[in-house]
Structure formats: structure tokens, C-alpha cells
Amino acid sequence: MNIGPMLNLYPDSLGGTLDDVVDFLKTEEAEGAFSSCYILPSLYHADLDRGFSVIDYSLNKMYASGETLEAIKKLGIELKLDFILNHASVLSKQFQDIIAKGEESEYKDFFINWNEFWKDCGEMTEQGYILPEEKYLKKMFFRKPGLPILMVRFPDGREIPYWNTFYQEVNYPKVSAQELMKAADLQYMQAEIIAQELSMGCPEGKKPADILQEIVLERKAGRLTKEQITTIWNYMEQHRYYLGQMDLNIRSPLVWEFYKNTLQTLAGYGAKIVRLDAFAYAPKEPGARNFLNDPGTWELLGKVTDLAKPLGITLLPEIHASYAEGTYRTIAEKGYMVYDFFLPGLLLDALERRSGEVLVQWIREICDRKMLTVNMLGCHDGIPLLDLKGLLSEERIQSLIDTVVSRGGYVKDLHGAKNVYYQVNATYYSALGEDDKKMLLARAIQLFMPGKPQVWYLDLFAGRNDHAAVQRAGAGGHKEINRTNLTCSDIAAGMKKPIVQKQIELLRMRNRFPVFSANAKIVAEVNGTKMDIRWQSGSEEAVLQTDFGDYSFSVSIRDTSSDTEYFKYDS
């Protein structure tokens, strides 16, 4: 297993396209620093959530081509790519076919019909969806307020609810007077007034029925018949369109055919690791939490593994759960790679408290359990904190939150529930107080952690919190604080900074020496403010000595049989 450093970025993060990323990796300054590259899913044909709402898994022509991916592989760099098991975009061919054909669509069971799922488990509402009984609702895990449904209009005018865990948006097109004249037998002035009211009200979130009721009550368009009102309302509803991510029905054979074809596509791109995003939401059944269902989650994972193995793909299940729940242990025991979401918070805690005690405990557990991890500092989402429950006290976690927020970060709560925190959004550099010594020490420790180090591109360039990007993104745009795209000139300027050059030197060291292998023996010790981590493989030994008192460290790599020193670094 290749556990060398992995660059993590969007295809447009460095320069604007993946070709620019290739150019960066080819530079003398960056050459040899990375053995893998994790490209986020805006690589694909997608719409929302910067790639995590996939229309299909063809390449995004704005950012990449097959030739570009081949160029990365020719550099000896392996790819890690995403596969979103739980959902697909409403713009996917499957969902668009349902909208166009309704019951006649071959894909009508490709997504989850809410009413069929909850049949005999609740009462039908006036709005046309089943409200499950309280005994079911109280067990469920919700990502947003309200029931996770999207009402979808079929060609025959029926409204059918489909399961929608994540984002949804319903929009209406701007309508012209001429269209309404033809549709509802209106005079021009009537049609013009109604078209203006609809075109102003719908973008504000008003429903066509409410706007039309107001027009009738206030007689804004003169006398209108019930038939005309109904015709206009039907016209608007028939032409409404959606954005969002619709949950897939894993009971459908067509979904499993889609899974198989997608994995084959990703293998064709050269993916060696495939991160399974949001997969724990996919298995659903009445009476379950419908997140991380047991045994459904593990049965799904096993079936996807059977599809991936013949393709030479290693799966990386992505689950955020607290340390106390022990989900990470279950993943490891089942033979999968574990996403080390604990390290970012543990490192922040160690640097702020000037003690690596808990960090050493975590290193020892990874080694004792023989877990293969992928670790990180920053990433596209944020700094995980929910995961630390059980490793750190509530008071220490809250102290971390307060520290990062005081340095310009944002707290992300789960659908607004007080104290149900999920992550803090900040660049890792800003979370560390924009302190070069802390950043470099954090990187050195990450590179000596067991597992495969994943490096967020903005951390590499010591990126600061981008509050202007958050403001531009508007409501829900907190993640943009750590997603700043760098231009080619930004990259050139950044490569001249000592904090960048020193990180690359350490990354090249981690990637170069065979002592950093999956089979190496790793020993970690702590004494007051000092912490040492030692890797041993054959006669080669790598040692990191740190002091949280002044954030200093040293690295040495030598052959113990000949006492030959290969590498030496002092901060």
C-alpha cells in the first residue's frame, strides 16, 4: 500500500484547471513531494455543493480531460477520487427521466418514493405525503429541519414525494405575457400583470398559488375565471424545475448497475483509492435511524467492496462519528482504511496545551489495532470536532471551538441544533493563529503519524481565512473560508515563502525514504512538553523530536547498521 503524501484539492484550486495542477507538480520546487493526488468531485459533471451533487461521472470539460489524468499518472502519482453512494443530482438522466415520464419511467424506483417506503407506517397528509408515526420519527437522524422529502410533479399532475436527505431547491421559470395569453385565454394587459407578479414573487420564494390568490383578491388583473386561475397555476407547476441531491434506492437493481458502471469509470480514470462519500445514509428501513444502520451499512459496504476489488480499487469509507461510538474501530476491524478525523483536533489541542499526551495515546491505539489510516490537517469541509467526543472532555472541545472562532473561524451546527456541533470552518493556518512555527510543527507531526498523510493545498500555502469568500457565498457559505482558488501568480509567490518551502522539504522527505512504509514499527513517547515519534523498518530509522514548549522540532533519518545519516532537519 502506497502511504506517501497525497495532495488534496479541487481541479480548479491551483491555477484554474487540472492542467495547471500538473504544471505545479512538474515544477522543480514541488517535484517528488507527493505520491498521490485526491481530486474532489467537481472533477465530474456536477452542479451543486462544488461537485458533491453529481449529474454523471464524466469529466467536467471546464477543468479536466482524460489526457490530463494520464499526465498525472505518468508523473507516478496515484489518484484518489470520490464516489457518492447515497445520492445523485436532480439533473441526472435518471431523475430527469422520472420528471418527463412519471410512472412510465424505467427509473421510477431508482430513487426512493417516500410514500411507498412508509406505506402502512403513518398517515397520509393533505399535502400528499405520509407522515410516519412518532415511534419511527423519534429514531431518525435528520440533516436538516423538516421531513427529508421533495415533492416531484409527474406529467399527469400528481405530486409524488421522493426522499431527499441533503439540499433541495424548487424554482419557477420567468414567464412571459404571450405564454400566459396562449395558455389561459387571457387578454394582453391581464397576462402582462400576472406575468410580472409571478416573475417578481417566485424568486422571492412565494408559491404560484399564493401569488395568484393575491392577484384575484386584489383584482390586479381584472376578472379571472376559476378555470383561468387553475390553468395558470398548472402551467407554472408543470414548468417548475429543481436543484438538489436525491437519495438512491439501493433495493433497485438499476442502482447496483449504476454503482458497478461508476466504479469501472473511476478505475478507468486511474483511481487507486475511492472515498465513499455519505454512504452511511444510503441503507434505509422503517424503524431505523437511517444513518449508519446496522447491519445495513456494513452489508452495503461489503457489496460495494465486491465490485471494487476486481478493479484494483481500495475503498475509504467516509463517516463522521464520535470516538466514543467506536465506529472507526468497526471500520478497521472489517479491513477498511480509516479516515483519521481525530488528528486535526488533537493536534490543535496539543499545540494549545503544549502537551502531546493524548496524541501519543492515539498513535499507540492506531498501531496496536493495526489500523491503516488516511490523516489530514485541513480539508474542503472544516476541522472536525464532533469526532473528538470520548477522546477529549467537553470542556476541552469547547475550548478548541472558542480558540478557533476567536481566530476568525465559524461554527457549523447540525440544522441549527444548539450544542450539536459538527465542525469549525477555518483554514488550519488561521486556526493556529497564523503562526509559522506551529504550522510547520503540525505538518511534521502529521508526516510522522501512522498512515497516509493527506495535504490540503491551502494548508501547504499557509492560506488565511477568506472572509470575503464567505460573504460572497451568502447563507450557508461558511465552507468557502477554506476554499480559496490560487492563481498561477499566487502559486509562484507562495513557493518563495519559507513556510511553503519547508513543508515541501518535509513532504519530499516523507515521500522519498522507504522507512515510511505501511509495515514499519512506530513508537511514540511523551515527557512533559516533549514528544518523540520513531519509525523503524529494516535497518532504517526515522525520528521526530518535538518540543511543544517552543514549537521546535528536529528530524533525522539514518541507517542503524552503518550509523549513516541520510537526512537531518532542525527547525
Side-chain angles (χ1 to χ4, degrees):
M1 176 69 190
N2 169 12
I3 63 166
M6 174 163 55
L7 180 62
N8 175 202
L9 74 177
Y10 291 101
D12 56 333
S13 292
L14 294 179
T17 70
L18 208 55
D19 287 317
D20 295 311
V21 175
V22 172
D23 290 341
F24 166 72
L25 293 170
K26 282 181 176 178
T27 62
E28 183 179 348
E29 293 86 353
E31 186 180 7
F34 299 100
S35 66
S36 304
C37 186
Y38 170 26
I39 308 170
L40 285 152
S42 53
L43 174 71
Y44 310 134
H45 180 203
D47 47 20
L48 301 169
D49 201 11
R50 203 160 177 183
F52 283 95
S53 179
V54 177
I55 298 171
D56 63 61
Y57 285 82
S58 63
L59 295 177
N60 184 335
K61 295 178 181 178
M62 294 288 291
Y63 300 144
S65 67
E67 291 79 6
T68 313
L69 294 179
E70 282 297 321
I72 293 176
K73 286 187 282 185
K74 286 179 180 177
L75 294 174
I77 293 175
E78 297 180 349
L79 291 178
K80 172 187 165 189
L81 301 176
D82 274 292
F83 183 18
I84 296 89
L85 292 184
N86 179 68
H87 52 263
S89 168
V90 299
L91 297 182
S92 63
K93 71 172 185 179
Q94 296 90 346
F95 199 78
Q96 290 299 306
D97 197 72
I98 291 174
I99 293 172
K101 300 176 183 176
E103 289 289 344
E104 301 303 314
S105 172
E106 65 176 305
Y107 297 109
K108 70 183 182 70
D109 296 323
F110 193 86
F111 302 91
I112 303 172
N113 182 313
W114 178 270
N115 286 347
E116 290 182 5
F117 182 93
W118 291 107
K119 186 179 180 182
D120 301 325
C121 294
E123 295 292 329
M124 183 66 72
T125 64
E126 292 182 0
Q127 291 79 17
Y129 60 82
I130 290 175
L131 178 64
E133 295 175 25
E134 180 60 25
K135 66 180 181 180
Y136 299 114
L137 287 175
K138 68 182 181 181
K139 292 182 179 179
M140 289 180 65
F141 176 78
F142 294 106
R143 281 291 304 232
K144 59 187 180 185
L147 295 178
I149 58 176
L150 175 69
M151 300 301 293
V152 180
R153 188 179 178 89
F154 275 22
D156 60 8
R158 289 184 301 141
E159 298 277 340
I160 307 298
Y162 274 88
W163 201 307
N164 165 244
T165 294
F166 294 92
Y167 184 83
Q168 67 167 255
E169 187 177 308
V170 179
N171 294 300
Y172 296 87
K174 188 174 182 179
V175 65
S176 70
Q178 290 92 329
E179 289 172 298
L180 294 184
M181 285 175 68
K182 293 177 184 177
D185 191 26
L186 297 168
Q187 290 186 344
Y188 178 78
M189 288 185 66
Q190 289 179 301
E192 179 69 15
I193 290 170
I194 295 170
Q196 288 178 359
E197 293 291 322
L198 289 168
S199 296
M200 287 189 297
C202 287
E204 295 175 355
K206 295 180 180 179
K207 298 295 184 184
D210 297 331
I211 297 170
L212 290 169
Q213 184 180 32
E214 183 180 311
I215 290 171
V216 171
L217 288 174
E218 298 182 10
R219 293 201 172 190
K220 293 182 179 180
R223 293 184 179 275
L224 296 169
T225 67
K226 288 184 179 179
E227 183 180 357
Q228 286 175 316
I229 293 296
T230 301
T231 299
I232 297 169
W233 175 78
N234 271 317
Y235 182 89
M236 294 299 293
E237 294 299 342
Q238 286 170 357
H239 289 83
R240 77 183 183 217
Y241 57 97
Y242 315 89
L243 286 174
Q245 298 139 298
M246 305 307 297
D247 291 39
L248 304 181
N249 177 16
I250 62 172
R251 294 183 177 89
S252 167
L254 288 178
V255 168
W256 284 97
E257 183 181 337
F258 166 74
Y259 282 175
K260 180 180 180 180
N261 291 339
T262 299
L263 286 168
Q264 289 174 342
T265 296
L266 302 187
Y269 292 153
K272 295 300 181 183
I273 299 175
V274 168
R275 173 183 177 270
L276 300 180
D277 178 78
F279 85 96
Y281 292 93
K284 300 178 178 68
E285 56 184 289
R289 191 172 182 233
N290 295 319
F291 170 73
L292 204 58
N293 288 356
D294 189 0
T297 299
W298 313 115
E299 291 171 353
L300 170 71
L301 192 52
K303 290 177 69 175
V304 175
T305 301
D306 290 341
L307 297 177
K309 273 186 177 178
L311 300 171
I313 288 174
T314 298
L315 298 179
L316 176 59
E318 187 258 354
I319 301 179
H320 279 283
S322 73
Y323 176 87
E325 292 176 78
T327 305
Y328 73 96
R329 292 196 301 269
T330 304
I331 292 172
E333 288 164 2
K334 291 182 180 294
Y336 295 99
M337 300 178 76
V338 175
Y339 232 134
D340 185 357
F341 290 123
F342 308 115
L343 179 63
L346 290 180
L347 260 177
L348 284 173
D349 179 75
L351 289 162
E352 293 306 310
R353 291 183 172 269
R354 298 176 188 261
S355 170
E357 184 177 355
V358 181
L359 198 54
V360 166
Q361 291 174 12
W362 175 231
I363 293 171
R364 290 172 179 170
E365 181 176 354
I366 295 173
C367 295
D368 290 346
R369 294 185 182 277
K370 295 180 170 55
M371 293 189 288
L372 180 56
T373 62
V374 171
N375 60 53
M376 63 180 187
L377 301 181
C379 71
H380 71 283
D381 258 351
I383 300 170
L385 293 171
L386 172 73
D387 308 70
L388 294 176
K389 289 185 177 183
L391 260 175
L392 299 181
S393 68
E394 291 284 346
E395 292 75 20
R396 283 174 72 168
I397 294 172
Q398 187 59 51
S399 177
L400 286 178
I401 295 171
D402 294 342
T403 296
V404 178
V405 170
S406 73
R407 293 170 178 167
Y410 296 109
V411 177
K412 172 65 168 69
D413 296 329
L414 286 179
H415 54 79
K418 189 177 180 181
N419 295 328
V420 186
Y421 48 80
Y422 179 45
Q423 60 191 18
V424 173
N425 295 103
T427 70
Y428 209 76
Y429 184 60
S430 289
L432 293 173
E434 299 179 2
D435 186 311
D436 285 8
K437 291 188 72 175
K438 287 184 181 179
M439 185 70 221
L440 196 58
L441 176 57
R443 179 69 70 211
I445 293 172
Q446 183 201 13
L447 298 181
F448 270 79
M449 288 293 296
K452 186 176 182 67
Q454 179 176 293
V455 179
W456 185 235
Y457 75 99
L458 210 53
D459 291 346
L460 180 64
F461 286 88
R464 292 178 166 86
N465 287 338
D466 192 341
H467 295 111
V470 174
Q471 290 180 342
R472 287 194 300 269
H478 47 276
K479 292 182 181 180
E480 296 305 312
I481 198 170
N482 191 28
R483 296 178 174 181
T484 309
N485 282 351
L486 301 181
T487 65
C488 292
S489 58
D490 291 333
I491 297 167
M495 295 298 284
K496 296 176 182 178
K497 296 179 180 178
I499 183 61
V500 180
Q501 295 170 350
K502 290 174 182 178
Q503 284 187 79
I504 290 178
E505 182 181 357
L506 292 172
L507 285 162
R508 192 177 285 116
M509 172 272 300
R510 178 65 162 77
N511 196 33
R512 172 186 170 193
F513 289 100
V515 66
F516 297 105
S517 71
N519 299 318
K521 180 182 178 182
I522 303 173
V523 177
E525 297 174 333
V526 63
N527 182 13
T529 63
K530 299 180 186 300
M531 182 183 74
D532 296 346
I533 306 175
R534 186 182 309 271
W535 288 56
Q536 184 81 43
S537 181
S539 63
E540 198 167 86
E541 180 184 68
V543 180
L544 170 67
Q545 296 179 309
T546 72
D547 190 338
F548 290 107
D550 59 3
Y551 309 120
S552 63
F553 69 92
S554 66
V555 176
S556 66
I557 300 177
R558 66 191 186 96
D559 187 307
T560 57
S561 62
S562 63
D563 201 26
T564 302
E565 189 168 70
Y566 298 135
F567 181 86
K568 182 70 175 177
Y569 183 98
D570 286 301
S571 65

